[in-house]
Amino acid sequence: MSCHPDRERPLDGDIDPQETVPSRKNTVFVDGVILNGPTTDAKAGEKFVEEACRLIMEEVVLKATDINEKVCEWRPPEQLKQLLDLELRDTGEPHHRLLELCQDVIRYSVKTNHPRFFNQLYAGLDYYSLVARFMTEALNPSVYTYEVSPVFLLVEEAVLKKMIEFIGWKEGDGIFNPGGSVSNMYAMNLARYKYCPDIKEKGLSGLPRLILFTSAECHYSMKKAASFLGIGTENVCFVETDGRGKMIPEELERQVWQAKKEGAAPFLVCATSGTTVLGAFDPLDEIADVCERHGLWLHVDASWGGSALMSRKHRKLLHGIHRADSVAWNPHKMLMAGIQCCAFLVKDKSDLLKKCYSAKASYLFQQDKFYDVSYDTGDKSIQCSRRPDAFKFWMTWKALGTLGLEEKVNRALALSRYLVEEIKKREGFKLLMEPEYANVCFWYIPPSLREMEEGPEFWAKLHLIIATDVST
Ligand SMILES: Cc1ncc(COP(=O)(O)O)c(C=O)c1O
């Protein structure tokens, strides 16, 4: 017998005693709802999961990584709306129809695991992190308290400890969160809390004009964080960079003095290790000196470049990172842990993170539980429900070892060197600069512009190429 919620269930004596549906005598009816009957048809559900998993295996894991298959069946939005059955109806659809829908979703989605998918910041398919994702999707845990997520909280602790080690701190703290942008927000708020702890209770009123410094090449999340936190985008001071896109420390110090002269209150410098576009690494040691002189919190946005810490050959790019007060590092970029997998790490060991973010909700974070409640790390987070993202990275790290991760980083950088040499050899390509990381910036000059002099008209025409319809 089907237990589909849409179907009427007979409640008289003809119910099969083998079924889990209660007999009429035991039925608990409240507000016209049977409370002690099954809510779903488990057998049919299990079969659906099995068939869908087969589809995922064939169409996503195998086919979508096949170089002979398409990266994407691109359709413009209006056309795609016609091809997909997007409407949500009053009655549910049968499983065979749902499987067809799944097939359509896969067909028209971009295959980010494809070897020819070259969008920024992806690095291919990592099978181990994928399995970790399947597991966490199936287990559906939430890493706020130990009683709900014992394993995943210990895994998070182990991964954070190791990342802290790679930064070069003796000890520290941290929390996985939904992205580098969010990590930068965590940092800005934590630095402000450290500067004026009263803000947690008293809010913004009565504060001086707080000001922070970052490079002109920083990630746009700095602006978002400043507006989100009520600091204001006008109080983000964009420090000039050199020809390679690195923050100029002397310029930083000049701007700090200037801000102080204007009566503003500098509280934070955000350096970037691996800028989004050029892949530039700010000089952390010199910036840390400026921060020390002026008592400023140093946050390093290593969302992209942090992976270089895994490589003995390339970790010098982040020389001085151990002097940072906080670091954002995304294993979901070069280290291939699935999106999202991002750590916000803090050098402080005085529980600053918890002091800043905790709300001490007594229904969740009771202090008199039957285990060590320091493992209820959820109160350090701005979230309540939280995904066990560290587990994806842990699985990959377990599978490849530190040496395997190092090899991935070295390979990515060697590939970029190779690309640079190929660009130099090819007509119609112009390298912007020698890269120091995996970002290779170049222009493609179409034949029609190759003889043209580099003036305003040349650049205007070249910029138009990027806007050309990709389907043509
Ligand atoms: C330097 C830098 N910081 C922060 C971010 C934002 O990371 P997320 O996409 O995880 O929010 C990026 C993303 O590209 C980045 O390159």
Side-chain angles (χ1 to χ4, degrees):
M1 173 181 283
S2 164
C3 303
H4 194 287
D6 296 327
R7 280 185 217 155
E8 289 255 306
R9 174 180 307 292
L11 286 173
D12 45 30
D14 64 357
I15 291 175
D16 182 349
Q18 297 302 312
E19 292 235 328
T20 47
V21 180
S23 69
R24 189 180 206 178
K25 188 167 66 183
N26 298 330
T27 300
V28 181
F29 244 143
V30 177
D31 288 344
V33 180
I34 307 169
L35 297 186
N36 56 341
T39 51
T40 49
D41 183 339
K43 281 265 171 300
E46 285 161 11
K47 188 159 179 285
F48 177 68
V49 172
E50 227 175 275
E51 287 175 15
C53 281
R54 208 169 306 129
L55 183 72
I56 295 169
M57 190 62 202
E58 280 164 18
E59 298 290 321
V60 184
V61 179
L62 299 176
K63 206 162 143 192
T65 53
D66 182 346
I67 201 145
N68 300 309
E69 296 288 337
K70 284 184 176 177
V71 174
C72 164
E73 268 202 48
W74 172 261
R75 295 285 187 281
E78 286 313 314
Q79 205 182 330
L80 193 54
K81 279 186 207 169
Q82 300 303 316
L83 290 166
L84 299 172
D85 175 14
L86 295 170
E87 194 188 329
L88 297 167
R89 304 184 179 86
D90 288 345
T91 51
E93 317 246 349
H95 284 176
H96 71 87
R97 180 68 198 124
L98 294 176
L99 287 168
E100 282 167 13
L101 291 174
C102 291
Q103 199 132 24
D104 285 346
V105 169
I106 296 169
R107 178 170 177 193
Y108 296 111
S109 289
V110 176
K111 313 302 184 298
T112 62
N113 298 328
H114 194 283
R116 295 230 165 104
F117 177 69
F118 295 126
N119 194 258
Q120 62 271 37
L121 308 175
Y122 279 87
L125 175 60
D126 173 68
Y127 296 100
Y128 309 102
S129 123
L130 179 65
V131 166
R133 277 188 274 163
F134 286 158
M135 281 173 67
T136 53
E137 288 307 316
L139 287 165
N140 202 24
S142 183
V143 281
Y144 34 51
T145 60
Y146 184 83
E147 76 232 36
V148 175
S149 282
V151 178
F152 295 117
L153 274 164
L154 295 185
V155 163
E156 178 164 346
E157 183 189 54
V159 176
L160 287 170
K161 188 164 175 278
K162 206 74 183 159
M163 292 175 90
I164 283 166
E165 225 176 81
F166 271 81
I167 288 172
W169 295 335
K170 284 199 178 62
E171 50 182 357
D173 198 1
I175 194 96
F176 271 78
N177 68 76
S181 304
V182 178
S183 290
N184 289 339
M185 264 179 214
Y186 266 96
M188 208 177 277
N189 192 46
L190 190 64
R192 184 172 63 175
Y193 174 75
K194 173 86 179 170
Y195 183 80
C196 43
D198 275 356
I199 192 168
K200 188 169 173 185
E201 284 85 28
K202 307 259 184 275
L204 295 170
S205 54
L207 281 183
R209 183 186 150 212
L210 293 174
I211 193 161
L212 66 107
F213 304 83
T214 187
S215 94
E217 290 289 329
C218 74
H219 189 254
Y220 66 84
S221 54
M222 295 310 292
K223 261 190 179 175
K224 286 199 181 229
S227 71
F228 187 74
L229 295 170
I231 288 167
T233 52
E234 284 184 8
N235 296 314
V236 181
C237 202
F238 296 102
V239 178
E240 206 184 306
T241 55
D242 64 15
R244 295 201 58 85
K246 295 165 182 282
M247 187 192 285
I248 303 171
E250 296 74 22
E251 195 50 31
L252 167 67
E253 186 141 39
R254 192 188 66 73
Q255 297 228 27
V256 173
W257 280 120
Q258 180 67 26
K260 284 183 173 176
K261 218 164 85 187
E262 289 169 8
F267 73 105
L268 162 71
V269 173
C270 174
T272 315
S273 288
T275 60
T276 314
V277 178
L278 297 174
F281 286 75
D282 287 342
L284 299 180
D285 242 345
E286 288 93 325
I287 292 172
D289 289 343
V290 176
C291 290
E292 258 174 40
R293 278 198 288 276
H294 294 270
L296 304 175
W297 182 283
L298 174 58
H299 171 64
V300 177
D301 177 3
S303 294
W304 172 221
S307 303
L309 290 169
M310 306 299 302
S311 159
R312 281 164 291 182
K313 185 164 182 202
H314 298 294
R315 62 171 289 126
K316 59 180 181 286
L317 288 166
L318 296 104
H319 180 73
I321 194 163
H322 63 284
R323 296 178 67 189
D325 295 293
S326 59
V327 172
W329 177 1
N330 288 8
H332 79 204
K333 296 190 194 303
M334 195 180 282
L335 297 174
M336 300 166 78
I339 291 170
Q340 298 154 330
C341 184
C342 314
F344 173 60
L345 303 137
V346 187
K347 182 155 65 184
D348 170 274
K349 231 342 201 158
S350 71
D351 245 359
L352 192 68
L353 198 55
K354 191 158 181 193
K355 284 180 201 150
C356 175
Y357 287 105
S358 67
K360 301 189 175 119
S362 58
Y363 78 95
L364 192 59
F365 300 113
Q366 300 96 324
Q367 295 303 296
D368 56 353
K369 289 183 187 170
F370 54 91
Y371 57 83
D372 177 357
V373 291
S374 70
Y375 285 98
D376 288 357
T377 55
D379 215 15
K380 288 185 208 171
S381 164
I382 53 171
Q383 299 170 252
C384 176
S385 307
R386 197 164 60 90
R387 297 167 63 95
D389 290 328
F391 180 57
K392 295 177 257 191
F393 189 32
W394 181 84
M395 274 289 275
T396 306
W397 204 326
K398 274 281 187 196
L400 306 182
T402 306
L403 295 177
L405 291 175
E406 176 179 44
E407 207 177 291
K408 289 224 173 283
V409 175
N410 289 347
R411 182 180 156 79
L413 269 71
L415 279 168
S416 3
R417 275 270 33 107
Y418 174 76
L419 178 63
V420 166
E421 297 315 315
E422 288 301 306
I423 287 170
K424 285 180 189 166
K425 282 189 228 157
R426 267 167 220 228
E427 200 195 344
F429 286 86
K430 185 178 157 63
L431 190 69
L432 197 74
M433 66 174 73
E434 290 288 337
E436 59 177 342
Y437 198 44
N439 308 47
V440 180
C441 299
F442 61 88
W443 291 101
Y444 168 65
I445 322 275
S448 60
L449 294 182
R450 284 183 199 161
E451 303 306 320
M452 196 185 258
E453 212 174 301
E454 282 187 26
E457 195 192 340
F458 171 88
W459 287 111
K461 284 195 164 155
L462 198 58
H463 277 287
L464 280 179
I465 294 172
I466 197 83
T468 308
D469 183 352
V470 292
S471 62
T472 55

